[in-house]
Amino acid sequence: MHIMSWLWSPFLVAQIILVLFLGKYNTAGLDAVMWTGWAIWSISVVFGFVPIFHFKMKGDVPRGKSYVHTTKMVVTGLYAIVRHPQYTAGILFSIALILISQDLVVILLGVIMIPILYVDIIMADRYELAKFGDDYARYMEQVPGTNFILGIFRLLKRQPGSHASRGKNS
């Protein structure tokens, strides 16, 4: 969909090849860092795959089309936490590979890839603004692009009956 993915994807693929196939694994011997990487990887899997099914169920995707061809804005599930869960997955996956490998080349690939991916996110937001207009602009104000920790706090704040949503006088 966005030209930037042609730029950042090879860096992620190179990280994967280096870590999983060429043995750039825990090169500094920092086991706690490596296990933190595996934990982040597992979170990235959720952010990467859940949207595929959620878009198909909630996005009014035309029959026979890919899940990315939504005709309706989806703002529930992971999309209530972050606007771009699959980009979030890419960032988390790259960070996970850095922590798992602890290798300078893998780190450099991630340092190059992640900013390019952020430019892609900006382009995706522009595309969605053109497609969905003011509804998407309001959504952007409520839901962060990739910061899922902030997104969880904001979601809890928006929930009816939550302490944060009742205001100061409650």
Side-chain angles (χ1 to χ4, degrees):
M1 180 160 97
H2 301 286
I3 191 75
M4 298 306 288
S5 65
W6 289 96
L7 296 176
W8 62 261
S9 295
F11 290 100
L12 185 59
V13 170
Q15 282 184 305
I16 293 167
I17 291 169
L18 285 168
V19 175
L20 299 181
F21 300 107
L22 297 180
K24 297 295 183 179
Y25 185 87
N26 199 14
T27 59
L30 302 172
D31 290 343
V33 172
M34 178 197 62
W35 288 113
T36 301
W38 282 112
I40 292 171
W41 182 327
S42 65
I43 295 168
S44 78
V45 169
V46 172
F47 279 97
F49 287 103
V50 168
I52 295 169
F53 305 105
H54 198 68
F55 260 9
K56 278 285 197 182
M57 290 174 20
K58 303 285 184 178
D60 289 341
V61 176
R63 185 179 202 93
K65 290 284 191 173
S66 167
Y67 73 98
V68 298
H69 296 285
T70 60
T71 58
K72 179 175 138 186
M73 254 181 64
V74 177
V75 297
T76 59
L78 286 178
Y79 290 92
I81 297 170
V82 291
R83 293 189 312 272
H84 304 289
Q86 290 187 310
Y87 285 121
T88 303
I91 293 166
L92 291 173
F93 192 35
S94 180
I95 292 169
L97 291 169
I98 288 168
L99 297 175
I100 291 166
S101 74
Q102 304 159 33
D103 180 78
L104 183 60
V105 175
V106 175
I107 293 167
L108 290 173
L109 289 167
V111 167
I112 294 168
M113 185 210 88
I114 291 171
I116 297 170
L117 196 144
Y118 269 107
V119 172
D120 206 10
I121 291 168
I122 292 166
M123 293 173 70
D125 276 334
R126 288 180 183 158
Y127 173 82
E128 299 301 335
L129 273 169
K131 184 175 180 179
F132 295 114
D134 290 339
D135 288 339
Y136 194 79
R138 284 187 293 278
Y139 175 59
M140 287 178 69
E141 290 172 6
Q142 291 182 338
V143 179
T146 59
N147 185 340
F148 63 93
I149 295 169
L150 176 61
I152 290 168
F153 283 117
R154 286 185 180 174
L155 176 63
L156 292 173
K157 188 176 176 181
R158 289 191 309 267
Q159 295 300 311
S162 75
H163 177 69
S165 70
R166 285 184 261 161
K168 295 177 184 176
N169 297 330
S170 296

